[in-house]
Amino acid sequence: MTITQEQATWFAQTFGQIADNVERAILGKRHVVDLVLTSMLSDGHVLLEDVPGTGKTSLARALAQSVQGTNTRIQFTPDLLPGDITGITVYDQKTGAFEFHSGPIFANIVLADEINRASPKTQSALLEVMEEGRVTIDGVSRQVGDPFLVLATQNPVEQAGTYRLPEAQLDRFMMRTSLGYPDHAATVRILDGAATATDDLAPIITPQALAGMADLAAGVYVDALVLDYIARLVDATRSADEVRLGVSIRGALALTRASRTRAASQGRTYATPDDVKALAVAVLSHRLILHPEAEFDGVAPEAVVGQVLLDVAPPSRREAG
């Protein structure tokens, strides 16, 4: 289904209203709010690499409140088991039958706090649900939520006692970003009590309508020249001198889906190279595996993607329009 201009205009207005609402609780972080909302509407998940106390939990709650969705928080620890996330079946002596007790993964927005503190087995349980959108226990498959967004966090500073996420699992996240500290002006406003409590936020849209927005975003037109541009960007990451393993086809598909959503959020029925550029660092950088020599020299994956964007010429507006 191709999106109409009228639908794109409504999409952009609603997207802006949701982002404005969330930003009432998360002051001065509009760019990150837009990225997370774009990922949610693109059937993706987000990895937040941030130090404690930057508002990750507030972001998840504010987003859930804005879309009238359910939200849960899972604190990952070394002794956390897969069943603690997905849920378990328990024998009920009164009824003589096994009953399923759902885990915290059954929600619209799940905050997976410090995901790298859990064992690889528990990490895999979460990432499997992220990929499939459902949980299968004792042969019974159950949908976890629609829409469904996992906001996973990692503390990049404190690495003692952590299990680093394997590169293949990092690839499951559509985007990686960071809230970071607010700027001076936003900090003063927060200290003055300007931030709205998440429980006081008014709902903007229902989960069903949000799922409809995701369907509309999937109908955004992407010209063959824009697809060629994405493919050339991905190819360039694979041949970069600092890179041992470049972006996978999953990464290219994620960038295409996110570009469609961003185009709709701007009120357009078609994606442009500017949409691709705006999202490339957040979508591609965590998928790169650098050579040890490049890591030792302090090269960041974000810098590699930035250089690729400079080196690979986008199609002209006349060609792609």
Side-chain angles (χ1 to χ4, degrees), residues 198-223:
T198 52
D199 292 341
D200 295 335
L201 293 178
I204 301 297
I205 193 171
T206 64
Q208 294 76 17
L210 194 75
M213 286 181 70
D215 292 338
L216 287 177
V220 169
Y221 174 71
V222 184
D223 190 84

Side-chain angles (χ1 to χ4, degrees), residues 292-314:
E293 297 83 3
E295 289 184 338
F296 184 75
D297 290 339
V299 176
E302 291 81 2
V304 175
V305 175
Q307 188 59 48
V308 164
L309 287 171
L310 291 174
D311 293 342
V312 178

Side-chain angles (χ1 to χ4, degrees), residues 275-295:
D275 295 320
V276 177
K277 286 181 180 179
L279 296 164
V281 172
V283 176
L284 303 182
S285 61
H286 63 288
R287 304 173 194 271
L288 301 181
I289 302 177
L290 304 183
H291 287 295
E293 297 83 3
E295 289 184 338

